[in-house]
Amino acid sequence: STTGDKINQVSSSSGVVYVHSEQLIRLCDTLLKVPKRAGMVHSLLEAYGLLQNMTVLPPHRTTKEDLTVFHSQDFVDCLERLNQEDDSEKNEELKQQFGLGYDCPTIPHVFDFVCLAAGATLRAAQALVNGESRVAINWCGGWHHAKRDEASGFCYVNDVVLGILKLREKFDRVLYLDLDLHHGDGVEDAFCYTPKVLTCSFHKYCPGFFPGTGSVDDVGIGKGKFYSVNVPLKDGIQDNQYFSVFCRVVDQLKQCYNPSAIVVQCGADTLADDPMQSFNMTPTGLARCLHHVVSAWQLPTLLLGGGGYRLANTARCWANLTATVLGCRLPAEIPEHEHFLEYGPDYQLDVSPTHRPNLNTDEYIEKTIAAITENLEKIS
Ligand SMILES: CN(c1ccc(C(=O)NO)cc1)S(=O)(=O)c1ccc(-c2ccccn2)s1
Ligand SMILES: [Zn+2]
């Protein structure tokens, strides 16, 4: 019947995998810096009817072996030991050793969280490797600061590195784009010696701002030299200027690196009104950037979450990005659903920029892009 055809037509044509499970949401909702955010994101996607257009798959339950593909055995053993909430003295010293102190306090069931968050990114990457879809999404991933043997910057596991290593089983050259407000240091460090993964991070860069790395002169090492790209920006940047910088950089990367797959970390702490009070972006601005690479390039694409501390705005942003890759428009009114009241007082999908000075002068932007262009000439 035509109805049946229409339903088949929608699911097969979108070719988007969305990794989800109630347990994944439950564990992510316990994260101290983004409490309940995972549940808000998922229920907004559901309220907008976006889940019907995607293939929803459960995360892999990763084993310790899956995690030690990148992380050290000692670090993974420590996370497993801390899984039961246990604040005994002997653990205090152990925690310090693995960065589980200040920014990354141990949450209950931290090992269960790590296994499912990484497992969701690995299942998404596997879908691209298997050819099950062209786009795969894990909004519970994108923890880009975690190091091989240390938690850092609210990140307990580097699911991004694990996902990229999974993609490398099939794709020769992986381009990593990090749109989070913060430098994607953990991912850059993991791949700074190899030309097989080109990491490109757009982030706030100024004295004293976490993590402090990611200057334009930070280009990678050895065989990886010029395969780390950094786009350091100042406070107050808005949609149009960001989109212009974004296109001028990524179009060069497409041309001179010719990636076979891309990974985009879509951290939403760049949005206007985020508690980080830094950039002045809107979900529409980020969606234009994503559309430029995902829809125009038609490459296997892995989309991940990240920062974003105004929780309703982060949900608005990732719903917008999900609709963008599905090619469908969302009504401007937030639909009635469990978390509806969190979207007051306007209950609108879009977020407006605030009135804040933009410190990114045209001269600064031109100088930065010129330096990046000069570096990229070395790999053309
Ligand atoms: C540990 N830090 C990070 C690390 C990573 C991020 C991040 O989002 N990375 O993508 C943000 C802050 S930090 O030292 O800058 C901060 C800790 C707490 C911060 C805070 C908390 C509330 C409002 C504003 N800032 S910033
Ligand atoms: Zn961030």
Side-chain angles (χ1 to χ4, degrees), residues 33-143:
K33 299 293 178 187
V34 286
K36 300 259 180 287
R37 188 183 74 176
M40 287 176 68
V41 172
H42 181 71
S43 61
L44 186 61
L45 296 185
E46 195 171 39
Y48 268 122
L50 290 170
L51 300 185
Q52 294 143 19
N53 300 350
M54 298 190 281
T55 306
V56 181
L57 298 177
H60 279 327
R61 165 100 207 172
T62 49
T63 61
K64 288 173 74 172
E65 286 68 38
D66 294 330
L67 297 173
T68 50
V69 165
F70 172 60
H71 290 290
S72 70
Q73 187 66 50
D74 289 350
F75 179 54
V76 173
D77 291 344
C78 167
L79 289 171
E80 188 182 36
R81 262 198 23 226
L82 294 171
N83 203 41
Q84 278 66 35
E85 194 173 349
D86 168 2
D87 279 342
S88 64
E89 272 316 298
K90 72 175 176 347
N91 276 343
E92 270 322 302
E93 186 226 326
L94 190 73
K95 288 180 188 177
Q96 302 307 332
Q97 183 186 347
F98 294 106
L100 294 163
Y102 316 102
D103 311 340
C104 301
T106 44
I107 50 173
H109 316 297
V110 64
F111 185 67
D112 295 336
F113 162 74
V114 157
C115 288
L116 272 190
T121 295
L122 283 170
R123 183 64 189 90
Q126 190 65 54
L128 301 180
V129 167
N130 294 348
E132 292 171 81
S133 70
R134 185 179 71 77
V135 180
I137 300 173
N138 173 26
W139 293 129
C140 292
W143 307 107

Side-chain angles (χ1 to χ4, degrees), residues 144-145 153-154 178-183 209-210 265 267-270 276 306-309:
H144 58 167
H145 295 305
F154 314 151
D178 189 308
L179 308 187
D180 194 283
L181 177 67
H182 300 84
H183 176 230
F209 187 75
F210 186 94
Q265 196 269 20
D269 41 9
T270 56
M276 294 292 156
Y309 305 97

Side-chain angles (χ1 to χ4, degrees), residues 18-324:
Y18 170 75
V19 183
H20 162 74
S21 76
E22 285 311 315
Q23 194 193 7
L24 173 66
I25 299 287
R26 202 167 40 251
L27 285 162
C28 291
D29 276 352
T30 66
L31 291 171
L32 301 173
K33 299 293 178 187
V34 286
K36 300 259 180 287
R37 188 183 74 176
M40 287 176 68
V41 172
H42 181 71
S43 61
L44 186 61
L45 296 185
E46 195 171 39
Y48 268 122
L50 290 170
L51 300 185
Q52 294 143 19
N53 300 350
M54 298 190 281
T55 306
V56 181
L57 298 177
H60 279 327
R61 165 100 207 172
T62 49
T63 61
K64 288 173 74 172
E65 286 68 38
D66 294 330
L67 297 173
T68 50
V69 165
F70 172 60
H71 290 290
S72 70
Q73 187 66 50
D74 289 350
F75 179 54
V76 173
D77 291 344
C78 167
L79 289 171
E80 188 182 36
R81 262 198 23 226
L82 294 171
N83 203 41
Q84 278 66 35
E85 194 173 349
D86 168 2
D87 279 342
S88 64
E89 272 316 298
K90 72 175 176 347
N91 276 343
E92 270 322 302
E93 186 226 326
L94 190 73
K95 288 180 188 177
Q96 302 307 332
Q97 183 186 347
F98 294 106
L100 294 163
Y102 316 102
D103 311 340
C104 301
T106 44
I107 50 173
H109 316 297
V110 64
F111 185 67
D112 295 336
F113 162 74
V114 157
C115 288
L116 272 190
T121 295
L122 283 170
R123 183 64 189 90
Q126 190 65 54
L128 301 180
V129 167
N130 294 348
E132 292 171 81
S133 70
R134 185 179 71 77
V135 180
I137 300 173
N138 173 26
W139 293 129
C140 292
W143 307 107
H144 58 167
H145 295 305
K147 305 297 183 301
R148 177 177 176 279
D149 53 4
E150 184 188 9
S152 170
F154 314 151
C155 303
Y156 298 88
V157 61
N158 202 313
D159 65 292
V160 186
V161 171
L162 292 168
I164 290 170
L165 290 171
K166 173 60 71 179
L167 291 175
R168 280 278 299 123
E169 290 175 7
K170 176 175 180 183
F171 302 105
D172 181 54
R173 293 174 312 288
V174 177
L175 170 61
Y176 172 64
L177 299 176
D178 189 308
L179 308 187
D180 194 283
L181 177 67
H182 300 84
H183 176 230
D185 58 342
V187 188
E188 180 184 285
D189 290 354
F191 299 112
C192 62
Y193 291 101
T194 175
K196 293 297 185 183
V197 178
L198 191 154
T199 60
C200 176
S201 178
F202 299 77
H203 50 268
K204 173 174 175 175
Y205 183 73
C206 71
F209 187 75
F210 186 94
T213 48
S215 103
V216 70
D217 304 319
D218 167 5
V219 295
I221 310 164
K223 287 196 172 65
K225 188 165 184 180
F226 304 117
Y227 291 89
S228 296
V229 178
N230 283 292
V231 189
L233 299 167
K234 304 296 182 192
D235 277 347
I237 194 163
Q238 294 199 29
D239 291 351
N240 289 344
Q241 189 183 35
Y242 189 100
F243 183 66
S244 159
V245 172
F246 180 81
C247 292
R248 290 172 68 184
V249 171
V250 300
D251 288 353
Q252 289 189 63
L253 299 179
K254 178 78 168 71
Q255 214 260 322
C256 66
Y257 185 61
N258 188 26
S260 25
I262 55 174
V263 178
V264 190
Q265 196 269 20
C266 305
D269 41 9
T270 56
L271 293 177
D273 194 32
D274 189 278
M276 294 292 156
Q277 293 278 314
S278 298
F279 288 2
N280 203 2
M281 297 293 292
T282 77
T284 305
L286 285 171
R288 283 170 64 198
C289 293
L290 195 65
H291 183 269
H292 186 74
V293 293
V294 176
S295 306
W297 296 3
Q298 292 289 317
L299 288 171
T301 303
L302 174 59
L303 298 186
L304 302 172
Y309 305 97
R310 185 71 65 219
L311 307 184
N313 284 358
T314 301
R316 286 178 165 100
C317 183
W318 293 346
N320 203 323
L321 298 187
T322 305
T324 299

